[in-house]
Structures are given as structure tokens and as C-alpha cells.
């Protein structure tokens, strides 16, 4: 079934290349069907004005049945946005990446969702359990069982 | 099955999970969404919900899709899976399996599964790719080997970059390339052959010196440019200030020297003319200053003589009568303090200065007022004293007249003694007391008895 994943990703990639990404999202690299990088910028009025972050997608053979592993890149000088749902190691606590993932969703849909998550942020702060989580966090955010916070933030 | 469709399929025929036309389409009973059987089966095994609307879903809820949908997808035209090998055959999707198994010239084994052909692992890095993707991948696979273009050494692609940096056969430019050396050659030759003969290398000390000097100059230039910017912005700010000041001054602004001149004369702007307050006892100075101000262009609107006429007179009265103040000891103190005017505050706006000037004028008016009052009092006092003097003079005059009269009477008596005796016997009573009579006599004025006219009634 690995082929379904690569076929579907090839399809998404060709759509991105022919139709372009949504506003504020740019494809940085998609050299293979294992890891893609995007930059994401919140457009318009927000706490993250003119800040650009890098998102990493990692796909397994079960994609799109299983969700991609999505996190902000926090190496080589890149940092995760300060947000109540984003840990300093780049992991994101968003239900859409966990139990609310649907195969209907796509890479760009995830990007747009995270973009609006940042855009609606009212106060720049790390999650309350950031230090504890980052100390013991698994490398792959998909291995974390997040307790999703309320989505109003 | 992963196939290439000759035409872009209608998007209504795409499974939203795999994004390709339905394969064995099934529809959910509960929410009427259609998916490939494989796709939705996997999705349900992962999460028991409809991927589209998240309603609860089990395998029992799936039924084969409408036959129209099935025939629509079955009749889509696809390419042969061996296209990359050279087969250009296309047919309806439902007929492809027969072609691949029986008639395709590129078929390998009779029992070949279509899907197996599609997914191939890279022999070098092990990542799996669709067949056509693998062809693109191989030349750029990080694990593939390449030959160094200089020494022909075979290495992994990922190591090529670091090797080229150290390869002894690599063609590199001279280290002095930035100073103009055109030499390029193998890295091994640089140290051994070129460097000893490089004319630029010989000058490397000079270049270093020159470069550092140049860097200093560039830095200084940058610094100066920055300062220039600062100054320019400052000049602009001042220009703006000046313009707003001009606007505020309106007709008061004069671009030529008249303003400065007049202000010097009038003591408006020049601090050299300060203190502008009228110091106690310097009334004449201040009055002169005000007279000058009156005649200066700034004060054109005032009648030039309106006040000037008063001040010299005032000053004269002060000078001519040094003792004038004496009777008004307390009053003079008051007058002096009234004459003290606050200095013009030149740091304020023109309005402020004008207000100050006005206050000075008001104070001046007050001073003039009190001066007039004092003059009145002095005048009446003077008049009284003069009156008294006139009275005493008149009394003296009268005394003198009486004395003259008495002398005359004596003379008369001596010359016409008889007639005098005969005329009035009473006069014989008078002895001769008049002889010691003189101006210095303490009994002055003379006793009243002398005033009585003689019986002759002649004076
Ligand atoms: Zn549904
Ligand atoms: Zn499907
Ligand atoms: Zn064929
Ligand atoms: Zn490879
Ligand atoms: Zn080499
Ligand atoms: Zn050289």
C-alpha cells in the first residue's frame, strides 16, 4: 500500500505545483514522499505578523488513511511560533493531526488549518506544560496522546 | 490499481481518500458518500467514521455504488502500465487487465500483478517509489555513486561536496584571485608551482595593508554617510521649525536685518541689552531706553513722542531737585518698585513677548500715574510754603514801612518843631527810643504803638 501514499502525494504535489499553495504558504522542499517542508506565514492582522515559520510533514505508508506527522521545524535557527498549542520542540497539539484527522484532508488543508490557528491566537505563550512535555516528548509527535485543549484559543 | 488516465477524470468520480477515480466504488448507507472499497475499508479499520462527515461507520454500512458510477469509472480510458517500457496501448479501464496479462508485448510473467510493477524500491537508498518516479530519483539519489570530475575517484553523491573541497586534482583559482591573479590550476600545483612565482602573492603584504586601509575608509565613509543623514534630517527638522515659526510670526517676520537691528535697539531680542528691568534708581536710563524703543521701527504704530515727551521731564525733575525725594521717603521706595519691570522672556513665543511688553507698558502707565499724584502733592506743598513766605515777606514789608514812617515823623518833628508841638502835644511824650532801632533788633517787629498814625494824619 505504500504506493497509494506516494501516488496520492504525487497528486497533491502536482496540484500544488500547478495551482500554487494558499496565500502565505510556500512549498520549501518535497524531494521525496517521506518529508515535505513548507513555510507558513499568517497573513493580515495577527500576533505573528511578518513572522515566517517552517512546517515539516512526515508521511508514512498509511497516508492518507493515517495522519501525517506535522510539526514546526526547530533547528538551524528556525523556531516554533509561541502559541498555547505549540510546544517549543515544534510539536503541535491540534486535534486535526490526531483523532480528528480524516483521509479527506490534505497537506494544504492542514497548512491552512494551522495558519488559522495562529491567526486566531490572542496571546503569545507556550503551553502550560511545555517544559514537562518537551523533556519527555517522543521524536515523532504522532506518538504523543495529546489531550486536546479547547479550540477557541 | 494505480493507473494513468488519458484524460483528467471528472472530479465527481474521484475517491476523496486516494484522489484517483473510484476503484470498486462503494457507497455508505448512512451518509451516501462514495469511496474505493480498499480506501474506505482501510479508513474504517483506522477510525470507525466516515472520512467526509465523521459520522460513525462500520464495514456493514458499505454497499456497492450505483451501477452508473461503476460503469462511468470502468469506461475511463487508461494507458498500459508498461508505458514507461514503451507500450503505448490505451483502452477502457475495465479492459486493461486483459491487455496486460495476454497481449501486452512488455508483459513479463503471465501472473504479474499490476500493483507490483508500480512500487519499486530504490536499489541504493531503499526508499520505495512508483516506477516513473524511480527513474527521476535514481540520478539524484543521495546514496548513488558518482565519480569526482577531477580525480575520477568514485564516491557516494552525498560525499561529493566535501571531497571537491579537498580533492588535490581539483581545478582551483589562485588565492590571490580577489586581487586580480588569473591563474587556475590543480590544487597540488598551487602551493608548489604557482605561489612562488605569483606576482600578486609577492605583494600580499601590500594588498593586506591596502585592504585594511580600504576597509577603514569604507567604514569611515559609512559612518560619515550616516552622520550626513542625521544632519540632513536635522536640517530638515530645523527648516520645518523655521517655516512654522515664520507662519506663527506672520507679518512680524522679516528676512533682512531690520528685525535684528530693531530688536537690538529696542532691547527686545538682544541679551546684551538686558537687564531690561528698570533697576531702582535707573529711571532715567530706562526712560531713555523706552524713548528709543518708541522711535524704532518695531514701534512705529505708537506715536513716537507720546511718552518720550514725558520722560525727559521726569528725568529732569529727578536731577534738578535732588532733595525732592526727601519729603516722600516712603513714597519714593514704592515708586522705584513700581518701576521694576520683569525682563522680557524671549524664549516664549511672540505672543509671550508681546504680553511681556504690554505688562511693561501697563506698569509704566502705573508709574506715570503715581508720578502725577506725587507731583500734585509736591506742587500743593510748594504752593503752601510759597504762600507762607509771601506772607512773612509782606509782614516784613509792613514793618519796614512803619519804620520809615516813624523816621519820617521824627524828621518832621525836628524840622517843624514848633508847629509840631503846637499841632500835637501828645508827641512830646515820646522820648527817643528810636535811635537804637536797626535791622538786627530782637524786638522786631516793632511795638504796636509806633503804628498808630500821628495826629497829623500824614504818612
Ligand atoms: Zn459520509
Ligand atoms: Zn480511493
Ligand atoms: Zn501494454
Ligand atoms: Zn535512492
Ligand atoms: Zn577528486
Ligand atoms: Zn596567482
Amino acid at each position: 500500500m505504500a504506493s497509494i501514499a506516494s501516488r496520492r502525494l504525487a497528486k497533491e504535489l502536482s496540484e500544488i505545483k500547478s495551482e500554487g499553495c494558499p496565500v502565505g504558504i510556500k512549498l520549501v522542499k518535497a524531494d521525496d514522499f517521506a518529508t515535505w517542508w513548507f513555510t507558513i506565514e499568517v497573513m493580515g492582522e495577527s500576533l505573528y505578523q511578518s513572522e515566517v515559520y517552517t512546517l515539516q510533514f512526515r508521511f508514512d505508508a498509511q497516508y492518507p488513511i493515517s495522519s501525517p506527522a506535522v510539526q514546526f521545524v526547530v533547528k538551524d535557527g528556525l523556531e516554533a511560533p509561541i502559541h498555547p498549542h505549540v510546544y517549543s520542540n515544534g510539536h503541535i497539539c491540534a486535534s486535526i493531526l490526531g483523532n480528528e484527522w480524516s483521509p479527506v484532508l490534505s497537506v494544504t488543508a492542514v497548512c491552512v488549518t494551522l495558519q488559522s490557528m495562529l491567526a486566531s491566537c490572542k496571546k503569545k505563550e507556550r503551553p502550560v506544560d511545555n517544559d514537562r512535555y518537551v523533556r519527555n516528548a517522543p521524536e515523532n509527535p504522532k506518538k504523543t496522546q495529546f489531550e486536546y485543549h479547547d479550540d477557541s484559543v | 490499481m494505480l493507473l494513468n488516465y488519458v484524460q483528467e477524470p471528472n472530479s465527481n468520480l474521484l475517491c476523496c481518500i486516494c484522489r484517483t477515480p473510484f476503484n470498486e466504488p462503494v457507497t455508505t448507507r448512512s451518509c451516501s458518500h462514495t469511496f474505493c472499497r480498499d480506501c474506505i475499508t482501510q479508513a474504517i479499520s483506522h477510525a470507525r467514521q466516515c472520512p467526509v462527515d465523521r459520522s460513525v461507520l462500520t464495514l456493514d454500512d458499505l454497499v456497492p455504488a450505483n451501477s452508473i458510477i461503476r460503469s462511468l469509472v470502468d469506461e475511463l480510458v487508461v494507458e498500459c502500465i508498461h508505458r514507461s517500457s514503451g507500450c503505448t496501448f490505451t483502452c477502457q479501464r475495465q479492459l486493461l487487465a486483459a491487455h496486460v496479462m495476454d497481449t501486452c508485448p512488455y508483459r513479463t510473467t503471465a501472473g504479474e500483478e499490476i500493483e507490483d510493477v508500480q512500487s519499486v524500491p530504490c536499489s541504493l537508498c531503499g526508499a520505495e517509489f512508483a516506477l516513473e518516479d524511480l527513474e527521476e530519483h535514481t540520478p539524484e539519489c543521495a546514496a548513488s555513486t558518482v565519480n569526482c570530475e577531477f580525480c575520477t575517484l568514485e564516491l557516494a553523491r552525498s560525499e561529493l561536496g566535501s571531497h571537491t573541497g579537498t580533492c588535490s586534482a581539483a581545478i582551483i583559482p589562485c588565492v590571490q584571485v580577489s586581487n586580480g591573479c588569473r591563474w587556475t590550476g590543480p590544487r597540488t600545483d598551487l602551493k608548489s608551482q604557482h605561489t612562488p612565482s605569483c606576482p600578486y602573492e609577492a605583494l600580499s603584504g601590500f594588498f593586506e595593508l591596502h585592504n585594511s586601509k580600504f576597509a577603514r575608509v569604507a567604514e569611515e565613509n559609512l559612518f560619515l554617510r550616516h552622520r550626513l543623514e542625521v544632519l540632513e534630517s536635522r536640517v530638515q527638522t530645523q527648516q520645518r521649525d523655521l517655516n512654522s515659526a515664520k507662519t506663527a510670526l506672520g507679518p512680524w517676520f522679516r528676512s533682512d536685518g531690520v528685525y535684528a537691528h530693531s530688536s537690538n535697539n529696542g532691547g527686545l531680542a538682544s541679551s546684551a541689552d538686558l537687564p531690561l528691568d528698570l533697576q531702582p534708581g535707573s529711571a532715567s536710563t530706562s526712560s531713555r531706553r523706552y524713548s528709543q524703543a518708541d522711535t524704532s521701527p518695531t514701534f512705529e504704530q505708537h506715536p513716537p513722542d507720546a511718552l518720550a515727551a514725558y520722560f525727559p521731564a521726569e528725568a529732569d525733575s529727578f536731577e534738578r531737585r535732588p532733595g525732592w525725594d526727601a519729603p516722600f521717603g516712603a513714597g519714593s521706595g514704592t515708586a522705584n518698585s513700581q518701576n521694576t519691570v520683569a525682563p522680557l522672556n524671549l524664549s516664549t513665543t511672540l505672543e509671550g513677548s508681546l504680553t511681556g511688553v504690554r505688562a511693561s507698558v501697563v506698569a509704566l502707565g502705573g508709574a506715570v500715574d503715581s508720578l502725577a499724584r506725587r507731583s500734585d502733592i509736591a506742587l500743593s506743598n510748594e504752593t503752601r510754603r510759597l504762600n507762607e513766605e509771601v506772607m512773612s515777606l509782606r509782614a516784613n514789608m509792613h514793618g519796614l514801612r512803619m519804620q520809615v514812617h516813624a523816621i519820617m515823623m521824627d524828621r518832621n518833628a525836628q524840622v517843624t518843631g514848633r508847629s509840631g508841638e503846637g499841632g500835637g502835644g501828645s508827641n512830646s511824650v515820646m522820648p527817643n527810643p528810636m535811635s537804637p532801632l536797626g535791622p538786627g533788633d530782637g524786638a522786631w517787629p516793632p511795638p504796636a504803638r509806633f503804628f498808630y498814625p500821628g495826629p497829623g494824619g500824614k504818612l
Side-chain angles (χ1 to χ4, degrees):
Chain A
M1 278 298 124
S3 55
I4 286 188
S6 58
R7 195 58 186 248
R8 155 93 186 235
L9 287 167
K11 190 114 183 173
E12 286 192 41
L13 193 57
S14 74
E15 274 170 21
I16 287 171
K17 282 177 175 165
S18 64
E19 292 160 30
C21 289
V23 180
I25 294 163
K26 285 200 191 71
L27 179 66
V28 177
K29 67 166 189 179
D31 299 338
D32 50 35
F33 296 132
T35 307
W36 290 4
W37 280 24
F38 290 84
T39 56
I40 176 170
E41 182 181 359
V42 182
M43 308 311 283
E45 290 279 313
S46 82
L47 298 177
Y48 304 92
Q49 196 134 30
S50 72
E51 294 173 25
V52 180
Y53 298 100
T54 304
L55 269 180
Q56 182 193 58
F57 285 76
R58 278 180 291 172
F59 308 101
D60 56 25
Q62 301 304 308
Y63 182 84
I65 301 299
S66 78
S67 63
V70 184
Q71 67 180 96
F72 286 101
V73 180
V74 288
K75 59 180 183 184
D76 301 332
L78 297 173
E79 282 181 359
I82 297 174
H83 185 282
H85 292 176
V86 180
Y87 292 92
S88 55
N89 63 353
H91 289 194
I92 304 161
C93 172
S95 56
I96 190 186
L97 301 174
N99 62 7
E100 282 184 27
W101 167 258
S102 160
V104 176
L105 293 168
S106 64
V107 172
T108 51
V110 170
C111 285
V112 169
T113 305
L114 294 177
Q115 200 180 27
S116 67
M117 178 188 87
L118 293 181
S120 61
C121 178
K122 294 181 189 71
K123 189 180 176 196
K124 274 187 171 186
E125 57 183 5
R126 291 279 184 221
V128 280
D129 58 340
N130 182 64
D131 292 347
R132 187 163 49 80
Y133 174 75
V134 170
R135 237 193 332 269
N136 306 311
E139 189 275 331
N140 189 326
K142 282 188 74 178
K143 298 210 171 71
T144 302
Q145 278 295 329
F146 284 113
E147 271 182 34
Y148 301 105
H149 309 104
D150 69 296
D151 275 50
S152 62
V153 182
Chain B
M1 288 215 288
L2 297 157
L3 304 166
N4 282 321
Y5 292 82
V6 173
Q7 286 180 323
E8 187 67 26
N10 184 313
S11 61
N12 291 320
L13 297 179
L14 297 183
C15 165
C16 62
I17 296 176
C18 63
R19 302 271 168 106
T20 61
F22 296 119
N23 190 27
E24 286 186 63
V26 292
T27 303
T28 59
R29 235 198 299 257
S30 46
C31 54
S32 301
H33 290 119
T34 303
F35 309 92
C36 313
R37 181 177 291 282
D38 276 352
C39 290
I40 191 61
T41 305
Q42 280 190 55
I44 287 176
S45 71
H46 193 264
R48 295 157 71 84
Q49 60 182 24
C50 171
V52 177
D53 56 22
R54 298 211 169 96
S55 63
V56 177
L57 206 62
T58 64
L59 289 175
D60 298 335
D61 295 321
L62 304 176
V63 289
N66 187 303
S67 61
I68 297 176
I69 294 177
R70 273 182 289 159
S71 54
L72 278 175
V73 292
D74 281 344
E75 287 164 14
L76 290 169
V77 178
V78 296
E79 296 170 346
C80 172
I81 55 166
H82 294 299
R83 174 157 188 111
S84 56
S85 309
C87 180
T88 55
F89 180 82
T90 58
C91 63
Q92 286 192 355
R93 195 177 77 175
Q94 55 191 336
L95 304 175
L96 184 66
H99 164 76
V100 169
M101 289 209 273
D102 302 331
T103 61
C104 181
Y106 297 93
R107 68 185 189 278
T108 44
T109 56
E112 186 179 53
E113 290 270 329
I114 290 173
E115 282 177 17
D116 288 347
V117 186
Q118 297 290 311
S119 182
V120 179
C122 171
S123 57
L124 301 165
C125 66
E128 293 203 340
F129 293 94
L131 192 57
E132 65 267 43
D133 294 332
L134 185 62
E135 284 167 7
E136 289 170 22
H137 165 76
T138 307
E140 58 199 32
C141 175
S144 66
T145 57
V146 288
N147 291 333
C148 171
E149 59 174 312
F150 305 115
C151 66
T152 67
L153 193 74
E154 199 180 72
L155 359 102
R157 183 177 296 278
S158 56
E159 294 166 14
L160 184 64
S162 59
H163 170 75
T164 310
T166 55
C167 176
S168 58
I171 303 295
I172 55 165
C174 174
V175 290
Q176 296 292 339
V177 68
S178 59
N179 291 324
C181 183
R182 298 262 177 81
W183 182 89
T184 55
R187 179 174 274 115
T188 43
D189 288 358
L190 178 68
K191 280 253 153 52
S192 58
Q193 293 178 20
H194 174 69
T195 304
S197 65
C198 177
Y200 295 91
E201 184 65 31
L203 289 171
S204 63
F206 166 75
F207 283 131
E208 249 171 58
L209 212 67
H210 185 77
N211 284 344
S212 72
K213 221 177 259 178
F214 184 76
R216 259 208 318 279
V217 170
E219 196 176 306
E220 199 182 339
N221 188 21
L222 204 70
F223 171 69
L224 289 175
R225 191 174 297 170
H226 174 72
R227 273 188 56 187
L228 186 68
E229 270 168 27
V230 171
L231 287 176
E232 268 177 354
S233 73
R234 206 173 285 170
V235 166
Q236 269 169 15
T237 314
Q238 283 172 353
Q239 186 69 45
R240 262 203 310 281
D241 288 353
L242 191 63
N243 283 342
S244 60
K246 270 187 199 170
T247 334
L249 276 173
W252 287 80
F253 176 78
R254 291 190 177 85
S255 56
D256 55 15
V258 173
Y259 185 72
H261 174 73
S262 70
S263 52
N264 275 344
N265 259 359
L268 268 178
S270 167
S271 60
D273 269 12
L274 296 175
L276 293 171
D277 49 335
L278 313 181
Q279 294 296 339
S282 70
S284 59
T285 320
S286 61
S287 65
R288 256 204 301 283
R289 188 169 56 74
Y290 271 97
S291 333
Q292 276 179 350
D294 289 344
T295 53
S296 76
T298 316
F299 287 86
E300 273 168 354
Q301 53 267 67
H302 297 296
D305 308 325
L307 288 171
Y310 290 98
F311 285 104
E314 185 201 33
D316 284 355
S317 74
F318 271 103
E319 280 158 14
R320 263 207 307 257
R321 305 188 59 121
W324 192 83
D325 272 350
F328 306 102
S332 84
T334 317
N336 279 344
S337 67
Q338 276 174 351
N339 278 352
T340 305
V341 176
L344 279 184
N345 187 357
L346 299 172
S347 63
T348 64
T349 59
L350 183 66
E351 278 178 7
S353 297
L354 286 175
T355 313
V357 170
R358 188 180 174 279
S360 299
V361 170
V362 168
L364 197 64
V368 169
D369 252 9
S370 84
L371 199 64
R373 268 200 303 282
R374 280 186 302 165
S375 299
D376 275 354
I377 296 168
L379 205 63
S380 63
N381 272 18
E382 199 74 352
T383 311
R384 209 178 308 139
R385 230 172 72 183
L386 282 173
N387 262 345
E388 279 168 14
E389 219 158 294
V390 166
M391 291 292 275
S392 81
L393 282 174
R394 192 176 287 170
N396 285 354
M397 184 79 161
H398 195 70
L400 282 174
R401 204 178 67 186
M402 286 300 112
Q403 227 165 312
V404 169
H405 177 69
I407 290 167
M408 293 296 285
M409 291 301 282
D410 275 354
R411 282 265 292 280
N412 280 356
Q414 279 169 11
V415 173
T416 60
R418 266 152 267 169
S419 64
E421 274 177 6
S426 62
N427 270 355
S428 62
V429 180
M430 192 171 71
N432 234 18
M434 299 307 290
S435 50
L437 187 74
D441 194 296
W444 196 266
R449 60 177 186 268
F450 287 104
F451 290 106
Y452 295 119
K458 193 177 161 195
L459 186 63

